[in-house]
């Protein structure tokens, strides 16, 4: 039945990469987790089984975050299963590099639809539904600071996410809900590694004074802090987690 046994965290894009690490970490922290994915049901289900085998509680939820109706249905499903949602982690995102002058309309529209509109779609539901004491953790990128060539469209969507983070933190005054963003640097996932030469990966890893790539677990640690009791006084902030790159 729907008796609430622990706080509920919905993590978008949690079938792999940083989102999967976040879901696993929040489950370990005691949250019941909703593992959202777009296409890779098998990986999402495997993660849910892994969490359950470790004593946690998890549910998978297919939804393209770019689709507002699908996002509404996902929140409905979480509320039906667990009675409500306390934490939203807006991790789902895509990256395709292109100089602005070479980018086509399709790339621009798709990146906006998933990274910016997708974040808006879940923020809107969370703003209406999150329980008092809740947390919202958005995903930006340290590229908003480094502003490297070929990242223009992606950086624009994440700059928009940062703006919504600051504004929504203010709009939720009186609800005891914090809204923050994590802005990772280069992190060893498919999104970052795909299409890059070993030399380029090594070069980007060395940009940070800590001289390595981030691991998904490094970012999950930060999300765990912001979602947990120790992060409760942090609100309306963007936390860059990048080994000191920028
Ligand atoms: P990955 O490509 O490894 O994973 C992306 C995840 O998002 C997958 O689970 C995928 O699900 C899901 N996803 C993609 N599109 C949608 C959609 N339309 N609706 C729902 N889910 C979707 O990415 P990362 O783990 O690297 O990135 C996670 C976040 O971190 C992103 O917001 C990214 O911008 C940000 N980030 C990453 C950095 C990095 O270096 N890796 C650096 C800075 C920020 P499925 O496979 O089922 O489609």
């Amino acid at each position: 039945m729907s008796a609430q046994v622990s706080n509920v965290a919905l993590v978008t894009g949690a079938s792999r990469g940083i989102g999967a690490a976040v879901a696993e970490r929040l489950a370990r922290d005691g949250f019941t987790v909703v593992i959202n994915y777009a296409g890779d049901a098998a990986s999402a289900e495997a993660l849910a089984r892994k969490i359950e085998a470790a004593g946690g509680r998890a549910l998978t939820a297919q939804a393209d975050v770019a689709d507002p109706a699908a996002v509404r249905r996902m929140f409905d499903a979480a509320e039906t299963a667990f009675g409500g949602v306390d934490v939203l982690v807006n991790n789902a995102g895509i990256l395709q590099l292109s100089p602005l002058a070479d980018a086509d309309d399709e790339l621009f529209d798709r990146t906006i639809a998933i990274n910016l509109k997708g974040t808006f779609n879940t923020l809107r539901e969370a703003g209406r539904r999150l329980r008092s004491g809740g947390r919202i953790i958005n995903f930006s990128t340290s590229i908003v600071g480094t502003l490297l060539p070929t990242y223009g469209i992606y950086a624009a969507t994440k700059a928009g996410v940062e703006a919504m983070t600051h504004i929504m933190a203010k709009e939720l005054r009186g609800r005891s809900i914090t809204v923050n963003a994590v802005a990772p640097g280069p992190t060893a996932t498919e999104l970052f590694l795909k299409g890059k030469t070993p030399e380029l990966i090594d070069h980007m890893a060395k940009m940070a004074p800590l001289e390595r790539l981030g691991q998904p677990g490094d970012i999950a640690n930060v999300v765990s802090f912001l979602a947990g009791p120790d992060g409760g006084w942090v609100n309306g902030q963007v936390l860059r987690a990048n080994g000191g790159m920028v």
Side-chain angles (χ1 to χ4, degrees):
M1 274 298 292
S2 64
Q4 192 203 340
V5 295
S6 65
N7 282 350
V8 176
L10 192 162
V11 185
T12 67
S15 57
R16 59 187 152 86
I18 293 169
V22 167
E24 216 176 329
R25 173 59 193 264
L26 293 183
R28 225 167 51 231
D29 290 349
F31 287 95
T32 295
V33 290
V34 179
I35 300 168
N36 161 256
Y37 65 97
D40 189 355
S43 296
E45 286 299 331
L47 178 61
R49 299 294 86 78
K50 190 177 172 196
I51 286 171
E52 284 166 356
R57 203 165 178 223
L59 174 84
T60 61
Q62 194 283 333
D64 176 352
V65 294
D67 176 352
V71 166
R72 267 195 296 278
R73 285 195 298 273
M74 175 169 66
F75 272 80
D76 290 345
E79 287 177 351
T80 302
F82 303 125
V85 177
D86 303 284
V87 173
L88 167 67
V89 182
N90 262 322
N91 163 85
I94 59 165
L95 164 67
Q96 192 181 321
L97 301 178
S98 172
L100 288 167
D102 300 334
D104 58 23
D105 291 343
E106 201 275 330
L107 174 61
F108 183 86
D109 291 345
R110 191 159 46 89
T111 311
I112 292 281
I114 295 175
N115 293 7
L116 186 58
K117 178 83 187 319
T119 298
F120 162 72
N121 286 335
T122 51
L123 283 179
R124 179 168 54 186
E125 293 308 315
R128 293 172 180 173
R129 303 182 189 218
L130 230 58
R131 291 191 282 222
S132 176
R135 308 283 169 84
I136 297 174
I137 297 137
N138 293 325
F139 265 72
S140 180
T141 166
S142 293
I143 289 291
V144 170
T146 54
L147 299 171
L148 295 178
T150 72
Y151 283 87
I153 295 171
Y154 177 74
T157 65
K158 297 298 193 174
V161 168
E162 291 194 7
M164 290 196 292
T165 299
H166 299 304
I167 288 169
M168 196 161 189
K170 294 175 182 166
E171 290 177 348
L172 294 184
R173 171 184 289 274
R175 298 264 307 275
S176 297
I177 295 172
T178 65
V179 188
N180 293 291
V182 179
T187 307
T189 69
E190 191 177 324
L191 176 141
F192 170 73
L193 298 169
K194 197 173 59 186
K196 294 193 175 73
T197 62
E199 293 72 29
L200 180 57
I201 292 168
D202 190 54
H203 170 75
M204 292 188 76
K206 296 275 165 49
M207 285 169 75
L210 296 185
E211 295 191 311
R212 66 168 175 85
L213 290 182
Q215 294 298 321
D218 292 319
I219 309 306
N221 289 345
V222 178
V223 174
S224 167
F225 165 70
L226 291 172
D230 291 347
W233 192 233
V234 182
N235 190 20
Q237 306 300 314
V238 178
L239 206 167
R240 287 183 180 161
N242 58 32
M245 183 182 66
V246 61

